[in-house]
């Protein structure tokens, strides 16, 4: 193609030159024709000449000749008769002899002009060409220079890219030349003057000695050197460089080294990485027991075997070479033909091969190998190499064998399972997705008495008629939900008895998640059902019992604050179905007068963690008052937290009845006391009055005897005697009354006063409770005994306690608290005090307090404290009263010690 | 002694007597002493039943009764006596009296109600009043008793005629009433006048009235 193209470009100018000549002549003819027609001139000769000049100038001499020839033809056409005809003009010479000179002249002129013009053209052309040559020469020069520059740049660039710098070293002059890259490698400024010293200084300290030695050696021997060393950069990084130098002797015989220094840090690192990656590969091969190999088909030998491939064959990769043949020998005799055939087929069909076979190691042990091979094809499609891997799959093989054994075992255990399913005492069944059982275990068949064949249709009939509808609905709901579910229903036994069963069903899904089967079990829960029923009944009974007995139960976890209350509990408090109970809900209902007492009691109980029992009133929203008795039992839960379980009993009616009874009793007692006292006084008065009346009467009579005209002295004397007599009798009566009062002799025995107090408190606890008085006992534990009458001392203490309770009756703004203390005073006498916080005692009353018949109470007789004092004084003690610093008063008495104790 | 003797010698009735019932011996002795000191006769008893069993002289008397007695109480005794139509005036004594007790006693016809110890004058005044009242009563009783005795002496016919006379009928009317001759009536009437000791018709009528004789009563 190139060739024709080239020939075209060589031909073209020549043809064009001739064409030009023809064209010039044609133009000249046309021009002449036009001028002849328009101007009637005959410029044909001059125009032809112009055409020849034109042809000569542009085409050269040969085209000019052609133009001349054509011009002559044109002349022949125009000037020879017949003019303007192309017919052959026989008489060339006939008619136009006149024209011949003109033609000759024209010819000569044309030739000359053509020659001149073409010569001129040649000269011009030659000049132009030589100028072109000069231009080309200059351009060549430029191109060479550019190429040099480029080559230098390339060199520099190459040096930079290859990290290779060049250097020169004139040993004798010590002059060192460095390329840019060398400076860059050494990270030195271009302005610096490279010296040996500088090089050594830049060298890694560990390599300095070696470098110095190499340079010294080179300077002495003048021989080539080649060494690698490390550079220590100012920023602490390390570079590996490889320096090569060749010695050149100059004309003077001096040695000059020219060389290159290459930064091989990257290569070093790559090498190191490669080494490491090879190590990894080897390691991974070792770990995966995979050996790789390459087999040269033509040479029929292994060209590569990884260390693991050696090891696989029981060979030492270091010591043993890789023999070409032993693999076949290694392969187990039974597998050998198969392996050979496999490889051959791969070679034949140029396909990968893969297969398992056994190899026998030198120690006669057998390994299982999985081999994979891949043919490598040459350009001409021939298999040149096989590359592949060997994997030691002995473990996997053994595992597979074990798995197979396990599967066999499972198969066996499945049979056993079947046995189990048919023997366990639970009804086991399986149903299709639509819920119809397709399998029942033996117990299920036995229980229901239906056969497996009829199970699909007969199973709903086995359920209790009352449960069937509900069961079917629930079963349908479970199936719709697609998750495990359960239901309870009664199932008929073969003998017709129905028992409660718990049916549990679990879906089995295929891989796409569709339920393929339902597996279920049915457990006999008849006993549980019965227990549940019993429990339900018992709970109902409890609720009923609570309602009837008006007893509400509650619980309170002190630490967590969690509370609960039974229905009755809330009913007593007057709440309609509250969800929970709070402390406020309870306190809100407590009667305002009892609130302080209740809070105090609850606080104490929760603080001490002890059982509590107390009574208080509730003020209901409708203004009615309820009495409740609260018993709280303190228990500790597993976490050791304090919890109260208790009962609240509505004792309003009881309390009302009791109060009524108590009031009646109190009234009765009071009436009885008043009556008794009245009778006593009347009796005493009568007894005393009688003799006194006699005395008066006798005395009057005596006077009258004396007042007579004749005083009857004997009668008067007798009267006076009787006066004395009767007065003595009156005195005797008084004496007898006193004797009567003293008649009850006190029986003094050694006593522990604390015990007496406790007995008394037991007697008055009801009084304390009904008056919402909290009692605090501060009894000295080691109290010496006293000598006294238990009953009388009890009377005294009861009196003081009751007095205290009554004194606190008007108190509503603070807790009613009564404190009973025992102890010893400064003279070691036993002391007992009863402190109330009631109305207290005014100073004026304090003096009269112990007088008989003195009372501040509307219903009192005024005998109590008087009697108390008598009793205490009869025991050799003293009863006193004092006002408290706060509200209330303190009564206290002291008793002497029992002598034996005192001693 | 002398006075007592003197009084006992008084004409008409025997001297009055004070009857004391008190369970207390010294009180009995003292009252006896007191009454004797003013010359009154005294009979003492320890209880109501003792007194009822005793034979008492039919003389003007009064009863000094302690309200508080063993067995029958003073007030109850008063009631019993009234039931037995014994109209002896009673003076009560008590160690401690009260209003209801007093009211009951006074309604029952007690002369006085005294508290022990007694003021002697009060007692003596009460006793004198009571005895005087008893004496008058006894006097009235005796008149009636005489008339009654006279009336008992009348024949039945005479009693009939007395009754008719006391109603204010004339002799003629009485004769007609009884179917007798007027003269017979006159004779009977004369007998009646004489037997009854009537000095006039008016006297007879008064006596008949005292006896409680009238037509209706018949």
């Amino acid at each position: 193609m190139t060739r024709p193209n080239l020939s075209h470009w060589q031909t073209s100018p020549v043809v064009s030159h001739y064409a030009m000549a023809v064209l010039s002549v044609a133009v000249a003819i046309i021009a002449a024709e036009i001028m002849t027609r328009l101007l009637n001139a005959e410029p044909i000769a001059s125009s032809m000449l112009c055409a020849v000049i034109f042809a000569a100038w542009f085409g050269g001499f040969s085209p000019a000749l052609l133009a001349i020839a054509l011009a002559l033809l044109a002349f022949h056409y125009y000037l020879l008769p017949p003019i303007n005809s192309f017919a052959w003009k026989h008489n060339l010479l006939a008619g136009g002899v006149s024209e011949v000179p003109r033609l000759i002249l024209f010819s000569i002129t044309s030739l000359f002009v053509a020659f001149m013009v073409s010569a001129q053209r040649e000269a011009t052309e030659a000049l132009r060409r030589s100028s072109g040559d000069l231009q080309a020469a200059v351009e060549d020069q430029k191109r060479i220079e550019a190429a040099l520059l480029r080559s230098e740049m390339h060199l520099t660039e190459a040096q930079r890219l290859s990290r290779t710098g060049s250097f020169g070293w004139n040993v004798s002059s010590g002059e060192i030349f460095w390329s840019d890259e060398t400076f860059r490698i050494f990270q030195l400024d271009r302005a610096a003057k490279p010296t040996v010293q500088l090089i050594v200084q830049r060298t890694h300290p560990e390599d300095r000695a070696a470098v110095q030695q190499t340079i010294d050696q080179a300077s002495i021997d003048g021989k080539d050197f080649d060494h690698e060393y490390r550079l220590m950069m100012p920023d602490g990084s390390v570079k590996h460089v490889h320096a090569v130098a060749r010695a050149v002797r100059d004309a003077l015989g001096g040695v000059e080294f020219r060389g290159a220094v290459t930064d091989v840090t990257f290569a070093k690192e790559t090498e190191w990485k490669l080494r490491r990656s090879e190590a990894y590969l080897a390691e991974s091969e070792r770990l995966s027991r995979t050996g790789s190999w390459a087999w040269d088909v033509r040479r029929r030998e292994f060209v590569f075997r990884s260390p693991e491939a050696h090891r696989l064959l029981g060979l030492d990769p270091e010591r043993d070479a890789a023999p070409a043949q032993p693999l076949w020998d290694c392969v187990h005799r039974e597998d050998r033909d198969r392996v050979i055939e496999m490889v051959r087929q791969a070679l034949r069909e140029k396909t990968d091969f893969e297969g398992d076979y056994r190899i026998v190691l030198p120690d006669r042990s057998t390994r299982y190998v999985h081999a994979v091979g891949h043919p490598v094809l040459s350009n001409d499609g021939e298999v040149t190499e096989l590359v592949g891997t060997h994997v030691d799959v002995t473990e996997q093989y053994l595992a597979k064998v074990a798995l197979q054994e396990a599967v066999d075992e499972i198969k066996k255990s499945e049979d056993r399972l079947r046995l189990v399913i048919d023997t366990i005492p639970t009804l086991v069944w399986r149903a299709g997705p639509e819920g119809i059982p397709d399998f029942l275990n033996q117990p299920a068949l036995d229980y229901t008495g239906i056969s497996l064949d009829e199970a699909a249709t007969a199973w709903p009939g086995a359920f209790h008629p009352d449960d069937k509808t509900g069961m079917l609905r629930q079963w349908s709901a479970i199936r719709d939900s697609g998750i495990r579910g359960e239901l309870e229903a009664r199932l008929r036994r073969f003998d017709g008895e129905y028992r409660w069963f718990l049916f549990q069903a679990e879906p089995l899904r295929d891989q796409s998640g569709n339920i393929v089967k339902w597996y279920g079990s049915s457990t006999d829960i008849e006993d549980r059902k019965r227990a549940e029923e019993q429990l339900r009944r018992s709970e109902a009974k409890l609720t009923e019992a609570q309602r009837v007995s008006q007893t509400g139960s509650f619980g309170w976890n002190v630490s967590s604050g969690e509370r609960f209350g039974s229905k009755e509990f809330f009913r007593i408090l007057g709440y309609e179905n509250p969800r929970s109970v709070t402390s406020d809900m309870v306190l809100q209902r407590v009667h305002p007068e009892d609130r302080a007492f209740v809070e105090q009691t609850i606080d104490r109980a929760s603080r001490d963690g002890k059982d509590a029992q107390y009574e208080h009133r509730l003020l209901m929203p409708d203004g009615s008052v309820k009495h409740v008795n609260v018993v709280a039992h303190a228990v500790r839960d597993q976490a050791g937290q304090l919890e109260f379980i208790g009962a609240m009993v509505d004792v309003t009616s009881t309390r009302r009845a009791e109060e009524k009874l108590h009031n009646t009793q109190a009234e009765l007692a009071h009436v009885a006391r008043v009556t008794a006292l009245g009778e006593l006084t009347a009796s005493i008065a009568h007894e005393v009055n009688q003799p006194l009346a006699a005395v008066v009467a006798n005395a009057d009579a005596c006077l009258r005897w004396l007042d007579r005209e004749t005083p009857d002295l004997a009668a008067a004397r007798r009267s006076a005697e009787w006066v004395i007599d009767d007065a003595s009798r009156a005195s005797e009566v008084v004496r007898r009354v006193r004797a009567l009062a003293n008649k009850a002799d006190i029986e003094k025995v050694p006593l522990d006063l604390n015990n007496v107090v406790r007995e008394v408190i037991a007697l008055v606890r009801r009084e304390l409770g009904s008056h919402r008085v909290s009692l605090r006992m501060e009894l000295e534990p080691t109290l010496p005994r006293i000598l006294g009458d238990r009953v009388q001392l009890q009377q005294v203490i009861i009196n003081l306690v009751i007095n205290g309770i009554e004194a606190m009756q008007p108190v509503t703004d603070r807790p009613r608290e009564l404190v009973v203390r025992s102890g010893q005073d400064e003279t070691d006498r036993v002391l007992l005090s009863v402190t109330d916080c009631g109305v207290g005692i005014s100073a004026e009353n304090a003096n009269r307090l112990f007088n008989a018949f003195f009372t501040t109470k509307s219903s009192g007789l005024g005998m109590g404290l008087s009697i108390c004092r008598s009793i205490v004084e009869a025991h050799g003690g003293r009863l006193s009263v004092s006002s408290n610093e706060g509200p209330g008063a303190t009564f206290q008495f002291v008793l002497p010690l029992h002598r034996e104790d005192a001693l | 002694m002398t006075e007592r003797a003197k009084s006992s010698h008084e004409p008409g009735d025997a001297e009055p007597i004070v009857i004391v019932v008190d369970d207390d011996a010294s009180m009995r002795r003292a009252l006896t002493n007191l009454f004797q000191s003013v010359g009154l006769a005294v009979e003492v008893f320890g209880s109501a039943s003792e007194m009822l069993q005793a034979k008492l002289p039919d003389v003007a008397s009064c009863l000094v009764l302690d309200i508080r007695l063993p067995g029958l109480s003073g007030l109850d005794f008063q009631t019993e006596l009234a039931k037995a139509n014994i109209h002896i005036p009673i003076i009560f004594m008590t160690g401690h009296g009260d209003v209801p007790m007093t009211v009951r006693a006074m309604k029952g016809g007690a002369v006085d109600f005294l508290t022990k110890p007694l003021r002697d004058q009060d007692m003596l005044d009460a006793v004198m009043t009571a005895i005087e009242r008893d004496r008058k009563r006894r006097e009235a009783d005796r008149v009636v008793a005489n008339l009654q005795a006279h009336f008992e002496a009348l024949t039945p016919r005479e009693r009939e005629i007395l009754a008719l006379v006391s109603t204010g009928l004339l002799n003629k009317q009485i004769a007609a009433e009884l179917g007798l001759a007027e003269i017979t009536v006159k004779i009977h009437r004369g007998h009646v006048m004489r037997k009854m000791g009537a000095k006039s018709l008016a006297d007879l009528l008064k006596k008949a009235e005292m006896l409680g004789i009238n037509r209706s009563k018949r």
Side-chain angles (χ1 to χ4, degrees), chain A residues 690 704-705 708 719 729, chain B residues 24 26 33 37 116 121:
Chain A
Q690 210 70 346
R704 284 184 188 280
W705 289 122
R708 285 194 176 202
S719 299
R729 203 188 116 222
Chain B
D24 187 79
S26 65
N33 190 14
S37 71
K116 291 179 186 176
Q121 201 53 54

Side-chain angles (χ1 to χ4, degrees), chain A residues 783-804:
Chain A
L783 205 59
R785 290 194 294 177
I786 46 112
L787 200 61
D789 183 292
R790 175 183 298 275
V791 176
Q792 286 200 337
L793 289 178
Q794 279 180 357
Q795 276 180 358
V796 171
I797 298 169
I798 286 180
N799 229 300
L800 297 182
V801 168
I802 299 288
N803 270 346

Side-chain angles (χ1 to χ4, degrees), chain A residues 230-245:
Chain A
R230 285 169 294 171
L231 296 181
M232 180 71 133
M233 291 299 128
D235 62 357
S237 61
V238 172
K239 269 186 187 170
H240 292 262
V241 292
H242 182 200
V244 183

Side-chain angles (χ1 to χ4, degrees), chain A residues 630-670:
Chain A
V630 180
V631 183
H633 180 51
V635 290
R636 297 263 171 197
D637 63 9
Q638 294 94 323
Q641 293 187 328
L642 181 62
E643 215 172 44
F644 281 99
I645 309 275
M648 175 181 270
V649 189
D650 185 349
V651 292
T652 310
S653 50
T654 318
R655 195 59 59 234
R656 294 240 168 92
E658 264 183 24
E659 259 169 27
K660 221 175 208 171
L661 179 66
H662 186 242
N663 288 345
T664 314
Q665 275 178 342
E667 271 168 38
L668 187 65
H670 189 232

Side-chain angles (χ1 to χ4, degrees), chain A residues 828-868:
Chain A
D828 284 345
R829 288 180 300 179
V830 173
L831 175 150
L832 187 116
S833 70
V834 177
T835 304
D836 64 62
C837 56
V839 291
I841 293 158
S842 67
E844 52 179 321
N845 285 343
N847 294 331
R848 299 191 290 148
L849 207 56
F850 299 107
N851 291 352
F853 305 111
F854 172 80
T855 181
T856 58
K857 301 172 202 161
S858 54
S859 60
L861 270 179
M863 293 299 285
L865 286 175
S866 160
I867 291 168
C868 285

Side-chain angles (χ1 to χ4, degrees), chain A residues 604-621:
Chain A
R604 190 183 300 169
S606 58
R607 202 170 49 241
D608 300 351
K610 285 183 181 161
D611 294 0
Q613 175 166 14
Y614 55 96
E615 250 189 66
H616 63 86
R617 287 168 296 171
L618 299 177
L619 182 62
M620 306 311 285

Side-chain angles (χ1 to χ4, degrees), chain A residues 126-246:
Chain A
L127 187 64
R128 195 176 50 82
R129 211 166 25 242
S130 79
S131 163
D133 285 351
L134 187 63
Q135 189 72 29
V138 170
E139 276 174 9
D140 276 355
Q141 182 64 31
K142 273 185 187 164
R143 202 162 44 243
I144 288 162
E145 278 177 7
L148 183 65
L149 189 64
R150 206 160 48 237
S151 135
E152 259 182 17
M153 279 170 65
H154 285 173
L155 178 63
T156 310
E157 186 68 7
Q159 286 199 352
R160 204 170 61 73
L161 287 176
S162 66
R163 295 166 191 276
T164 304
S166 55
F167 65 87
W169 177 31
N170 191 315
V171 177
S172 49
S173 70
E175 202 180 326
I176 295 179
F177 160 79
W178 275 8
S179 72
D180 287 356
E181 185 61 22
T182 313
F183 279 105
R184 206 171 290 123
I185 289 170
F186 279 84
Q187 285 188 8
L188 284 169
D189 190 64
R190 198 121 171 77
K193 174 99 179 112
T195 60
V196 171
Q197 199 56 39
L198 199 60
I199 294 168
V200 172
Q201 197 184 338
R202 215 15 136 210
T203 305
H204 194 282
E206 291 175 13
D207 295 350
R208 261 177 215 164
V211 169
Q212 187 70 51
Q213 199 188 348
T214 308
I215 292 173
D216 291 351
Q217 191 68 38
S219 62
I220 295 163
D221 300 355
K223 285 182 180 165
D224 298 356
F225 63 91
D226 179 342
H227 65 150
E228 259 187 46
Y229 57 97
R230 285 169 294 171
L231 296 181
M232 180 71 133
M233 291 299 128
D235 62 357
S237 61
V238 172
K239 269 186 187 170
H240 292 262
V241 292
H242 182 200
V244 183
R246 184 174 308 141

